[in-house]
Amino acid sequence: MQLTQFTDLGLRIVMRLATGPGADAGSDPSTRAIAEQLAVSYTHATKVVARLGELGVVTTRRGRGGGLAITELGRTASLGWLTRQLEGDGEVVTCEGDKPCPLRHGCRLRSALRDAQNAFYHSLDGLTVHDLTATGSSPENVLLTLTAPTANHS
């Protein structure tokens, strides 16, 4: 199973926010700063941040002194739950539609893939963002030192 870019970015944003404030001590990072640190489009990051806000995983404040912050839910929710929320409930394969699969009535692939998808999510249910970014772990150190990539002019 492959996660969408949306989900991948959502998980990375939450992990980054779990490590603490931005480069300016005491201030929460902006969506633009997070997008630059993660080397992604600001527009894409904005859409993901909006969804994370709807889920109650991050809070956003506009204007001077504003920025993004992770909520308690964002720290403690299971990765399985968060991934399900970002990915949606879609099937791994689509057997219906404009050109339905001729094997759909006798095929066991769809249910096997659904079972595998559920096992994937279940394996993430025992982990939280806090587990991935706990103080003293090397991921926290890496996440805190993220800077915007610079062009190599060699």
Side-chain angles (χ1 to χ4, degrees):
M1 185 174 153
Q2 184 173 352
L3 297 177
T4 61
Q5 287 181 338
F6 188 87
T7 300
D8 175 40
L9 181 54
L11 295 173
R12 290 191 286 148
I13 288 172
V14 172
M15 287 176 58
R16 168 54 190 88
L17 292 174
T19 63
D24 301 329
S27 69
D28 292 329
S30 67
T31 302
R32 187 168 304 282
I34 293 287
E36 288 173 3
Q37 289 176 337
L38 297 176
V40 297
S41 146
Y42 169 72
T43 304
H44 195 173
T46 300
K47 291 175 187 175
V48 173
V49 165
R51 179 67 178 135
L52 293 171
E54 291 169 3
L55 294 172
V57 173
V58 301
T59 58
T60 60
R61 288 182 321 282
R62 297 178 76 130
R64 186 176 204 118
L68 307 175
I70 190 168
T71 64
E72 186 61 25
L73 173 62
R75 291 183 194 284
T76 60
S78 81
L79 288 177
W81 175 82
L82 183 54
T83 303
R84 284 180 191 94
Q85 299 307 306
L86 295 172
E87 279 292 304
D89 292 326
E91 298 267 349
V92 176
V93 295
T94 304
C95 302
E96 307 298 331
D98 292 342
K99 294 185 178 187
C101 176
L103 304 174
R104 71 187 177 280
H105 297 296
C107 181
R108 295 185 190 125
L109 178 62
R110 187 177 189 178
S111 64
L113 290 174
R114 187 178 313 114
D115 290 346
Q117 181 181 33
N118 289 334
F120 171 78
Y121 288 135
H122 181 72
S123 71
L124 296 175
D125 283 336
L127 292 170
T128 65
V129 170
H130 176 75
D131 294 332
L132 300 178
T133 60
T135 302
S137 66
S138 60
E140 177 191 31
N141 297 333
V142 171
L143 288 165
L144 284 173
T145 61
L146 286 176
T147 58
T150 57
N152 187 354
H153 298 279
S154 301

